[in-house]
Amino acid sequence: MSHGFETLAIHAGQDPEARTGAVIPPIYQTSTYAQDAVGAPRQGYEYSRSGNPTRDALQECLAALEGGPVGLAFASGLAAEDTLLRTVCKPGDHVVIPDDAYGGTYRLFARVAERWGVDYTPAKVSDTDAVRAAIRPTTKIVWVETPTNPLLGIADIATLAAVAHDAGALLVVDNTFASPYLQQPLAHGADVVVHSTTKYIGGHSDVVGGALIAADSGLGDELRYHQNAMGAINGPFDAWLTLRGIKTLGVRMDRHCDNAERIAAYLDGHARVGQVIYPGLPAHPGHEVAAKQMRRFGGMISFRAAGGEEHAVEICNRAKLFVLAESLGGVESLIEHPGRMTHASAAGSPLEVPGDLVRLSVGIETVDDLLADLEQALG
């Protein structure tokens, strides 16, 4: 019997505990496990780097939400990305990456992976021809974000999956900005989904984590081997916090979207705003593609301040209810200046972001209060 998203979020991997009937999965805060005999661990548990029941519950839930056979949880989104790269790529290989992406992802490619012989080429993921032109005979991965961070570009997942597969490469989709509630890339042909579970999946700004969900069980087994061999797993309490957050993901995302739609419409008509970037606006160049592959358009908005970079910085500094902070996807609204904060590592690169850009992570507060805060912050 198939179940709806919200049912899976609450129940997948989370049966009542067998011994006591506890409705919530226990936190198995242990590093090791008693064995019944030499070479006879109970239910396969030997050591918590290799396996932990709390992490397993989270991994089963993540796989169910993204519709893949294998889900894996990590200490951070970057830990997940690094594990994926070192599973799939070797020295001499090549990856196509977005020309607009999370600064930490760019740093991983430009300052870590490249030193170990993995080359990369940035391409505009909303331009299929540009992605195709960036592919080489050595390309192993086409890596996309959709929406991208922070300019909210939209990649056509199904089209790029065909392009990648024609070249013998995998399509990897960072689904952090959308969450599995709004978008399920594996259903559109992607091979691996990446998440920073710190963001919408955890949803409460109280835990750091990452995830990989694979469409193919064979690749999933390879990723699982490297998860254990490289060791960048999350602890039981972090897994438990993330699993708790997942339970309300659907209802939270609906409120994030409700609020973001109101705020995008408000900013779109404001004299102190030069441009509003939100996939839910019909004028957004990726609006039709987003409408095809997303349930709704998400809680992230970027806009360009009419008064230039200093005006953008002033807006961030004047905001009160919108907290000036990095990260995104929590219940509270955040504001930041990407060029000087989350994307500072991309300065001087093809991924450098405009200095007049402001990024909003729209929370689930009363929307009229958020609008009033933006009104005073815009000046």
Side-chain angles (χ1 to χ4, degrees):
M1 178 180 177
S2 61
H3 295 290
F5 184 92
E6 292 87 342
T7 302
L8 291 173
I10 294 168
H11 293 286
Q14 301 169 74
D15 291 337
E17 195 266 333
R19 186 171 68 87
T20 66
V23 172
I24 300 300
I27 304 169
Y28 287 89
Q29 194 68 43
T30 185
S31 62
T32 192
Y33 306 85
Q35 301 191 21
D36 294 324
V38 174
R42 298 177 192 175
Q43 300 182 54
Y45 291 108
E46 304 170 325
Y47 185 62
S48 274
R49 172 172 43 76
S50 304
N52 178 279
T54 313
R55 187 166 74 245
D56 286 349
L58 170 60
Q59 293 180 152
E60 184 176 340
C61 187
L62 289 167
L65 295 184
E66 284 288 6
V70 178
L72 300 169
F74 295 84
S76 69
L78 281 170
E81 293 184 6
D82 184 40
T83 301
L84 173 58
L85 277 177
R86 289 201 270 173
T87 300
V88 175
C89 296
K90 64 183 185 303
D93 288 340
H94 173 260
V95 181
V96 179
I97 68 169
D99 71 348
D100 175 49
Y102 168 50
T105 298
Y106 172 72
R107 183 176 57 232
L108 177 63
F109 280 101
R111 300 180 188 175
V112 179
E114 190 174 47
R115 292 176 56 227
W116 292 95
V118 176
D119 201 3
Y120 68 95
T121 301
K124 188 173 184 178
V125 298
S126 60
D127 184 341
T128 301
D129 290 336
V131 173
R132 186 182 288 111
I135 292 175
R136 304 176 186 173
T138 55
T139 300
K140 292 295 186 289
I141 295 173
V142 174
W143 187 295
V144 304
E145 298 176 0
T146 184
T148 62
N149 180 7
L151 295 175
L152 302 175
I154 300 296
D156 187 321
I157 298 170
T159 299
L160 290 185
V163 169
H165 296 160
D166 285 348
L170 300 177
L171 180 68
V172 172
V173 177
D174 185 332
N175 201 30
T176 298
F177 267 34
S179 86
Y181 179 70
L182 299 182
Q183 179 174 266
Q184 295 172 322
L186 300 186
H188 298 282
D191 298 288
V192 182
V193 171
V194 177
H195 280 285
S196 170
T197 58
T198 310
K199 312 305 194 296
Y200 286 110
I201 287 177
H204 293 79
S205 301
D206 57 6
V207 61
V208 174
L212 299 174
I213 300 92
D216 175 73
S217 57
L219 176 58
D221 288 342
E222 292 181 43
L223 291 168
R224 184 184 287 110
Y225 175 86
H226 283 78
Q227 178 197 40
N228 179 50
M230 295 167 63
I233 49 89
N234 58 351
F237 186 54
D238 287 354
W240 185 87
L241 283 172
T242 305
L243 197 58
R244 182 209 59 181
I246 284 176
K247 290 177 184 292
T248 59
L249 179 59
V251 292
R252 285 188 286 106
M253 291 309 301
D254 279 336
R255 177 60 70 86
H256 285 298
C257 292
D258 288 345
N259 286 357
E261 288 165 10
R262 284 277 306 276
I263 289 170
Y266 159 78
L267 292 171
D268 198 36
H270 202 289
R272 299 284 281 161
V273 175
Q275 179 190 11
V276 181
I277 307 169
Y278 182 64
L281 293 174
H284 188 288
H287 176 74
E288 291 186 6
V289 174
K292 177 182 69 174
Q293 65 192 23
M294 298 178 73
R295 186 193 302 242
R296 294 181 71 181
F297 300 102
M300 299 301 298
I301 300 172
S302 291
F303 67 90
R304 302 183 73 165
E309 182 169 357
E310 291 310 312
H311 182 212
V313 172
E314 289 170 7
I315 293 168
C316 293
N317 288 336
R318 282 199 294 255
K320 293 182 173 61
L321 194 55
F322 277 86
V323 179
L324 179 60
E326 299 190 5
S327 198
L328 59 106
V331 292
E332 64 288 309
S333 294
L334 304 180
I335 189 169
E336 68 130 355
H337 185 270
R340 300 190 188 184
M341 295 173 67
T342 53
H343 289 69
S345 62
S349 80
L351 280 73
E352 183 172 10
V353 299
D356 59 0
L357 192 74
V358 175
R359 191 188 76 178
L360 303 178
S361 174
V362 179
I364 66 172
E365 302 95 336
T366 303
V367 69
D368 289 339
D369 295 333
L370 297 175
L371 291 168
D373 190 39
L374 288 172
E375 179 65 26
Q376 66 82 24
L378 286 162

